[in-house]
Amino acid sequence: MKFESVNLKDKDITSEELFNNRRKFLKLGAAAVVANSAVVDLLAKDKYPTSNLNYKKDLNELNLDLSTFDQITSYNNFYEFSTGKEKVKKLSHTLKPDPWSITIDGLVEKSFQIDVSELIKKFSLEERIYRFRCVEGWSMVVPWVGFELAKLIKLASPLSAAKYIRFETLFDKEQFPDQKRGIFGAIPYPYVEGLRLDEAMNPLAILSVGLYGKTLENQNGAPIRLVVPWKYGFKSIKSISKISFVADEPLNTWQKANSKEYGFYANVNPNVDHPRWSQAKERVLGKFFKQKTQLFNGYEKEVGHLYANLDMRKYF
Ligand SMILES: Nc1nc2c(c(=O)[nH]1)N[C@H]1C(S)=C(S)[C@@H](COP(=O)(O)O)O[C@H]1N2
Ligand SMILES: [Mo]
């Protein structure tokens, strides 16, 4: 038996190939498995980060096929750096995510500031393997690490008048080059997003501080970003510096920029097309064939009840 993997050069081979190769080896005899998995592990080490977070593992009961670390961290939407998805990674070194403080204010008993490191100490972290679907028609599967947004909401003790939650990305021209361009910037800054309070309390909504067991890379929204997996990716706001409890529906950035194309809810819905993109199908990063998009991105059981009284065609 020949061991072809021994001759493979690390740079010639993607993590996905490694994973598939490994699967093949596991089907071979025991001797081959021992010899090869050692080699494959050695090569794979380079491609995945060393974990620096303590968290409870997601058992991946749905058996979702994870996107690779490389895919998740190399193809990004983060307009504060660039509108070029493959440029963000390289440009994002100007972001300084540590230390990082978040202001909690608005309709709460008492506003306060808290450091992300404090939040991580306060709330135990857990992994959440979620599908993630961008309105542009691409998708991926990400092993996020974070905590339920509901935990932070309880900590903030909002007043009964608070009906929505509003998030803001940091505004700092030194850290985010596109914010320097004023009205010539790609979109209005700071980036703003929002959720109805009952949506925000849903256990699927998390604040993520990491992925693949490691603190977030700058390009993915370090040090803390929202993840709402049943909504289009633009709702999952990055590098959050302010969380406000408010009475009225916040005007989110994409609705402000183009209200004909973007609304507040943005629930993943294969039956309502975006004016420029059909939403019936999606391409998973790295895959050749498109797959069908699922209503609420496959999370209808968990979140469908939140929208029982909402016309999803009108409130897209
Ligand atoms: N502050 C900020 N948050 C943002 C964006 C952005 O440009 N700025 N892009 C959004 C869009 S359109 C998507 S699809 C996701 C992409 O997240 P990812 O790069 O981690 O895949 O982030 C969202 N959050
Ligand atoms: Mo997106």
Side-chain angles (χ1 to χ4, degrees):
M1 175 159 302
K2 278 200 286 183
F3 296 130
E4 293 186 340
S5 73
V6 178
N7 298 322
L8 286 173
K9 290 220 182 62
D10 195 14
K11 67 170 167 46
D12 294 329
I13 163 172
T14 68
S15 329
E16 202 166 13
E17 283 172 272
L18 278 174
F19 183 68
N20 290 334
N21 279 342
R22 186 164 180 189
R23 268 199 187 144
K24 274 181 220 143
F25 292 138
L26 291 175
K27 290 193 191 129
L28 300 173
V33 170
V34 173
N36 280 283
S37 62
V39 173
V40 170
D41 274 347
L42 209 69
L43 293 174
K45 260 218 172 77
D46 250 22
K47 296 284 180 184
Y48 285 85
T50 312
S51 176
N52 61 1
L53 293 169
N54 282 317
Y55 61 96
K56 193 173 120 228
K57 271 275 202 201
D58 184 329
L59 300 175
N60 194 10
E61 275 165 357
L62 298 176
N63 232 331
L64 296 176
D65 194 0
L66 301 199
S67 300
T68 64
F69 182 75
D70 212 45
Q71 288 168 330
I72 299 166
T73 59
S74 309
Y75 189 81
N76 302 99
N77 270 333
F78 203 162
Y79 280 24
E80 285 86 339
F81 295 109
S82 170
T83 55
K85 292 184 221 313
E86 273 137 14
K87 293 189 181 147
V88 171
K89 179 181 179 172
K90 212 176 133 217
L91 291 171
S92 64
H93 62 89
T94 52
L95 175 58
K96 301 283 173 268
D98 187 25
W100 188 281
S101 137
I102 302 189
T103 300
I104 316 270
D105 68 6
L107 300 170
V108 290
E109 275 171 21
K110 190 172 182 294
S111 36
F112 60 97
Q113 286 196 341
I114 188 159
D115 231 76
V116 169
S117 58
E118 276 304 305
L119 287 174
I120 291 176
K121 265 187 258 159
K122 227 183 211 13
F123 304 136
S124 43
L125 299 179
E126 49 185 304
E127 183 174 50
R128 292 287 179 97
I129 297 175
Y130 283 157
R131 297 181 206 90
F132 188 94
R133 169 66 154 78
C134 172
V135 71
E136 295 163 333
W138 55 270
S139 71
M140 57 185 175
V141 174
V142 185
W144 302 107
V145 177
F147 54 86
E148 287 183 8
L149 174 57
K151 290 188 181 177
L152 182 73
I153 295 176
K154 280 173 204 148
L155 179 76
S157 24
L159 306 175
S160 62
K163 300 291 183 230
Y164 294 86
I165 181 166
R166 179 186 184 278
F167 305 86
E168 220 176 87
T169 295
L170 180 70
F171 186 80
D172 180 343
K173 296 174 181 173
E174 297 309 311
Q175 298 191 55
F176 295 122
D178 202 54
Q179 292 181 345
K180 271 192 205 135
R181 301 174 61 223
I183 59 162
F184 300 107
I187 45 174
Y189 301 111
Y191 197 99
V192 171
E193 259 308 334
L195 294 170
R196 229 168 50 195
L197 204 52
D198 60 335
E199 298 181 292
M201 290 293 291
N202 187 278
L204 282 189
I206 59 166
L207 286 171
S208 167
V209 296
L211 63 89
Y212 270 111
K214 183 189 171 296
T215 43
L216 286 176
E217 301 299 306
N218 287 353
Q219 61 269 33
N220 293 104
I224 189 163
R225 59 101 48 95
L226 180 67
V227 178
V228 274
W230 69 98
K231 293 179 178 285
Y232 291 117
F234 69 83
K235 297 293 293 182
S236 292
I237 180 175
K238 295 174 166 181
S239 306
I240 297 166
S241 69
K242 192 157 104 162
I243 298 180
S244 311
F245 292 83
V246 295
D248 302 313
E249 187 181 290
L251 180 60
N252 49 319
T253 293
W254 278 103
Q255 189 177 188
K256 183 174 176 186
N258 188 346
S259 64
K260 287 203 173 62
E261 297 195 355
Y262 303 97
F264 175 76
Y265 281 94
N267 293 318
V268 174
N269 188 344
N271 309 311
V272 177
D273 287 338
H274 180 276
R276 284 180 286 142
W277 302 294
S278 161
Q279 298 299 359
K281 290 186 174 177
E282 66 198 49
R283 193 189 307 283
V284 183
L285 293 188
K287 297 262 172 11
F288 184 74
F289 292 108
K290 288 189 176 180
Q291 66 181 29
K292 277 193 177 151
T293 290
Q294 303 179 66
L295 184 61
F296 298 113
N297 208 20
Y299 300 104
E300 183 175 10
K301 198 162 51 84
E302 291 87 346
V303 301
H305 64 274
L306 294 169
Y307 310 103
N309 300 318
L310 193 79
D311 178 352
M312 298 248 301
R313 287 190 173 272
K314 190 160 169 231
Y315 296 96
F316 52 87

